[in-house]
């Protein structure tokens, strides 16, 4: 189809009509011109195709599909390849089911562990979130099916999600909340982007010109179309002009008519509408020309893939006395309702209708020595003494007790936020009682976001399995018995208590006003700076083997910010079992004039190593690895100086480091006035040259002499040399007229400032 020509043949009404959905899941077509309607469907961790009653909350059923691990889990894999494979599988399902665009992935940053939808998001760290979302996007789109990168942007709470206003400063916006979107747009070129419900600094995300056009299209080069989150449109005409092409699901024709009127009244340029339609048709054509409904959808094979990926994601948090892996044949009491009825995904629009599910007990079928006790129920938080007594009895009779616990559905969900980090009281009590009865107690957790663990010191091992998808039971078995060596790492900080979280003072907002007061200090960026020890740090995870690091090296000791630095480190498996290590690279700015976190993740590599084997992890760093967002030039900027490249086994455990110098090629614009202070002026070479002759006069007027004897005289009095020097440092240029009268004229100072600003 010649899209430009087709658009030119459309009536105004036809073009406007294409800017909203036909129904919940379809776009409109124009029959007379052969423009077909296409289907879009939720993701992100599987296909939620509704062929009956439609809704965006996961209420009504969808077709049977494969539920892969949710993003909370897949982020923990730190495995780009796994995410790509998962994307390919979901892409195949979409082709098979004739779905043109899968609505995901979701890359919002985990600002607080309370966000009800954290299970669907990747991380508190924008680099990790961006890399993982890039991989799954590439995987899905490799099948010629589109994705919808969501929810753009600053949708970091569910509370009042359709009205709250995320108020954030420019630097925080860029460094924390936009980076993951930027990474995916630039690296994976998603076909569509979904704008969020909330406002951004006072303007709805669905009609925010700065984010939808200024940043997304003009800066990042996005060339697909923007779709609204379901029902996110407020002012349709403003939205279209701002860069929102498609409204979903629809507004009963009201907004289509508004678009027509706006064009007729000259409020909206018809060219904007033409462009919007052109963009949508271009994306849909990409799918239509590559439709392949004959693509096989082998659900059983995908179930096995889901199991493999789920095991890659599980994080071993504690393993005292190497109690894990378990030995088949041991008497093992498996305790907890989740062992038979696992929670493996979250509630809401991402809810997949799994074609089958494997619980841990299913996966242990036929293994000798296994007993089961339910331990708790989901219907109430209240402990059930009878269930606990049975569990304690089972634990006593076993060599090892494995308690499968976590968060029930109503503890975390799309649509509302959590108010605390506790697990249900009945589960906490059960774990304590079981641990009293059997010192060899292992806890497996199924949850989408951090929980507190009051029983941590009483149990020997903890496996954080997150929400592992429909094959979670098999994967749990693989980890517990060592068929798979745990290799997940926490993609978020587990705090010791909620009040330690940086957003604690303002999360959720006052009414609709949601200020992001903690700025760039989100997650480990805050815990590291404040030296608050978390329960478990970002990046943490144990293995059944051990790894040693050696020979950290860089391609140069110094570089310009336009260059590339290669960093390499050798990693050896020094244990007795094959395993995978996530080699994490952090960058630390030694000295900075802006507030910066202690370290920031700028690279990771997952290595698979046989016992005794050594491999080299290689990273390439460019300007962005060292830069912060400078609000004076509205761009990324590297402050010239020393940086430490750190290799860590977590954000709190650095195992090797090396220093490099990076020099900026960009000179920040200076603007001096009579109010500029000497401290700032003296940093400028030319200002220094102009001021040095005058400084003697200034010093004299303040009574500062460079001679040591007079210094000690001053020191003996209440006025210290440090104080005098500070007074000069922080004095404005204009103070020369008051403190060094007659030495310099007002006109001379004006001339000096002008000369400096002329450059
Ligand atoms: C969610 C989106 C989802 C859409 C369609 C909304 O409520 O926020 O993530 O894609 O519904 O179901």
């Amino acid at each position: 189809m010649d899209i430009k020509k087709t658009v030119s043949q459309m009536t105004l009404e036809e073009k406007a009509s294409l800017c909203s959905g036909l129904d919940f899941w379809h776009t409109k077509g124009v029959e007379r011109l052969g423009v077909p309607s296409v289907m879009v469907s939720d993701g992100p961790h599987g296909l939620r195709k509704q062929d009956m009653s439609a809704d965006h909350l996961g209420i009504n059923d969808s077709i049977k599909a494969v539920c892969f691990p949710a993003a909370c889990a897949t982020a923990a894999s730190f495995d780009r390849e796994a995410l790509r494979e998962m994307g390919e599988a979901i892409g195949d399902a979409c082709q098979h089911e004739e779905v043109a665009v899968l609505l995901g992935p979701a890359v919002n940053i985990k600002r607080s562990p309370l966000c009800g939808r954290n299970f669907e998001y990747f991380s508190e760290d924008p680099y990790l979130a961006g890399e993982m979302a890039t991989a799954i996007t590439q995987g899905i789109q490799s099948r010629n099916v589109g994705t919808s990168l969501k929810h753009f942007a600053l949708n970091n709470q569910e509370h009042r999600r359709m009205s709250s206003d995320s108020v954030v400063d420019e630097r925080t916006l860029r460094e924390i909340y936009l980076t993951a979107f930027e990474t995916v747009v630039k690296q994976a070129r998603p076909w569509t982007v979904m704008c969020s419900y909330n406002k951004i600094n006072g303007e709805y995300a669905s009609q925010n010109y700065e984010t939808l056009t200024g940043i997304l299209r003009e800066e990042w080069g996005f060339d697909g179309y923007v779709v609204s989150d379901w029902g996110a449109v407020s002012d349709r005409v403003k939205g279209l002009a701002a860069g929102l092409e498609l409204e979903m699901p629809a507004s009963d024709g009201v907004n289509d008519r508004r678009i027509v009127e706006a064009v007729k009244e000259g409020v909206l340029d018809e060219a904007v509408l033409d462009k919007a339609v052109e963009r949508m048709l271009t994306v849909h054509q990409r799918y239509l020309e590559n439709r392949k409904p004959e693509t096989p959808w082998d659900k059983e094979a995908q179930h096995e893939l889901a199991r493999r990926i789920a095991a890659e994601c599980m994080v071993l948090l504690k393993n005292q006395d190497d109690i894990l892996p378990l030995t088949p044949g041991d008497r093992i009491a498996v305790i907890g309702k989740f062992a038979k009825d696992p929670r493996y995904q979250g509630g809401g629009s991402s809810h997949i209708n799994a074609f089958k599910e494997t619980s841990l007990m299913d996966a242990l079928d036929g293994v000798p020595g296994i007993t089961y006790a339910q331990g708790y129920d989901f219907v109430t938080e209240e402990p059930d003494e009878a269930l606990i007594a049975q569990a304690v009895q089972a634990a006593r009779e076993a060599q090892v007790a494995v308690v499968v616990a976590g968060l029930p559905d109503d503890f975390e969900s799309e649509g509302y936020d959590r108010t605390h980090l506790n697990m249900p009281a009945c589960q906490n009590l059960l774990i304590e009682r079981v641990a009293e009865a059997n010192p060899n107690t292992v806890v497996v957790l199924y949850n989408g976001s951090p929980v507190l663990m009051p029983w941590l010191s009483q149990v020997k091992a903890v496996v954080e399995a997150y929400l592992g998808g429909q094959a979670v039971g098999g994967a749990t078995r693989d980890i517990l018995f060592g068929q798979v060596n745990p290799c997940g790492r926490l993609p978020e900080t587990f705090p010791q208590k909620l009040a330690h979280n940086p957003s604690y003072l303002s999360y959720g907002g006052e009414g609709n006003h949601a200020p992001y007061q903690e700025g760039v200090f989100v997650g480990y960026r805050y815990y590291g700076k404040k030296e608050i020890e978390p329960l478990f740090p970002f990046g943490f995870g144990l293995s059944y083997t051990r790894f040693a690091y050696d020979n950290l090296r860089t391609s140069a000791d110094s570089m310009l910010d336009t260059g590339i630095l290669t960093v390499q480190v050798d990693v050896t498996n020094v244990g007795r079992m094959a395993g995978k290590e996530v080699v994490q690279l952090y960058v630390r700015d030694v000295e900075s004039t802006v507030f910066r976190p202690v370290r920031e993740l700028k690279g990771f590599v997952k290595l698979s190593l046989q016992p005794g084997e050594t491999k080299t992890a290689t990273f390439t760093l460019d300007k962005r690895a060292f830069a912060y967002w400078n609000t004076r030039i509205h761009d990324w900027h590297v402050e010239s100086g020393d940086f430490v490249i750190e290799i860590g086994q977590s954000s709190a455990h650095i195992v090797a480091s090396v220093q490099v110098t990076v020099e900026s090629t960009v000179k920040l614009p200076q603007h001096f006035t009579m109010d500029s202070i000497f401290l700032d002026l003296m940093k400028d070479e030319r200002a220094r040259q102009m001021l040095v002759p005058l400084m003697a006069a200034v010093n004299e007027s303040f009574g500062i002499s460079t001679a040591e004897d007079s210094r000690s005289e001053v020191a003996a009095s209440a006025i210290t040399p440090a104080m005098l020097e500070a007074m000069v440092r922080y004095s404005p240029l204009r103070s020369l007229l008051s403190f060094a009268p007659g030495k310099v004229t007002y006109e001379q100072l004006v001339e000096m400032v002008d000369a400096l600003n002329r450059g």
Side-chain angles (χ1 to χ4, degrees), residues 414-429:
E414 179 178 343
Y416 58 91
D417 290 328
R418 294 199 287 171
T419 53
H420 59 76
L421 303 183
N422 302 327
M423 283 174 27
C426 56
Q427 296 191 27
N428 281 332
L429 185 67

Side-chain angles (χ1 to χ4, degrees), residues 374-606:
Q374 182 182 320
Y376 58 86
D377 211 334
F378 304 140
V379 285
T380 167
E381 262 212 66
E382 288 306 307
D384 180 323
E385 287 299 340
L387 290 179
I388 292 181
Q390 284 163 14
V392 165
Q393 184 60 26
R396 264 203 203 107
E397 289 164 8
Q399 286 162 284
V400 181
V402 175
V403 184
V404 186
L407 295 178
D409 270 320
D410 59 352
F411 270 60
E412 53 180 348
S413 166
E414 179 178 343
Y416 58 91
D417 290 328
R418 294 199 287 171
T419 53
H420 59 76
L421 303 183
N422 302 327
M423 283 174 27
C426 56
Q427 296 191 27
N428 281 332
L429 185 67
L430 172 76
I431 296 171
E432 275 165 27
R433 294 274 185 80
V434 167
E436 275 164 22
N438 189 331
N440 293 329
T441 294
V442 174
V443 175
V444 176
L445 294 173
Y446 293 161
N447 50 308
S449 44
V451 291
L452 304 181
M453 304 179 196
W455 33 259
L456 184 60
S457 63
Q458 293 154 258
V459 304
K460 284 222 169 133
V462 180
V463 175
E464 175 53 77
Y466 280 111
L467 300 180
Q470 65 179 51
V472 69
T476 308
R477 177 194 159 144
D478 294 341
I479 292 291
L480 290 176
F481 288 90
Q483 263 95 7
V484 176
N485 192 342
C487 56
R489 303 289 182 263
L490 290 182
E492 64 196 323
T493 308
F494 274 47
Q496 285 189 46
K497 55 177 177 174
L498 178 60
H500 284 173
N501 179 264
S503 71
Y504 179 71
L505 294 179
S506 65
Y507 185 73
E510 290 169 327
N512 283 335
H513 179 67
Y516 284 41
Q517 282 169 191
E518 66 285 1
V520 297
F521 295 99
V522 174
Y524 69 87
R525 286 167 166 77
Y526 174 81
Y527 295 99
K529 193 84 172 183
K530 284 277 287 186
E531 298 180 1
I532 294 175
E533 205 180 314
L535 193 60
F536 296 105
F538 172 90
F540 178 77
L542 302 170
S543 165
Y544 296 152
T545 186
R546 282 173 304 112
F547 301 96
Y549 286 76
D550 193 23
N551 197 16
L552 172 61
R553 58 219 186 255
T554 56
S555 53
D557 300 335
S558 64
M559 66 182 273
L560 293 178
D561 65 357
T562 44
I564 297 282
L565 187 76
T566 305
V567 180
Q568 291 186 306
V569 64
D570 300 336
V571 187
T572 306
N573 181 346
V574 292
R576 282 195 296 267
M577 193 172 170
K580 291 183 182 172
E581 173 73 322
V582 177
V583 186
Q584 301 163 43
L585 184 150
Y586 296 87
V587 173
R588 179 156 66 85
D589 192 354
V590 174
E591 216 185 299
S592 169
T593 57
V594 296
F595 301 126
R596 294 196 74 169
V598 175
R599 60 180 61 91
E600 294 180 270
L601 184 74
K602 297 296 173 185
F604 61 85
V605 173
K606 197 166 189 177

Side-chain angles (χ1 to χ4, degrees), residues 25 42 56 117 150-151 161 194 197 229-230 349 414:
W25 303 118
D42 276 311
H56 64 304
R117 220 172 168 181
K150 66 189 187 183
H151 309 88
R161 69 172 175 165
M194 186 190 293
Y197 286 126
D229 199 342
W230 268 230
S349 60
E414 179 178 343

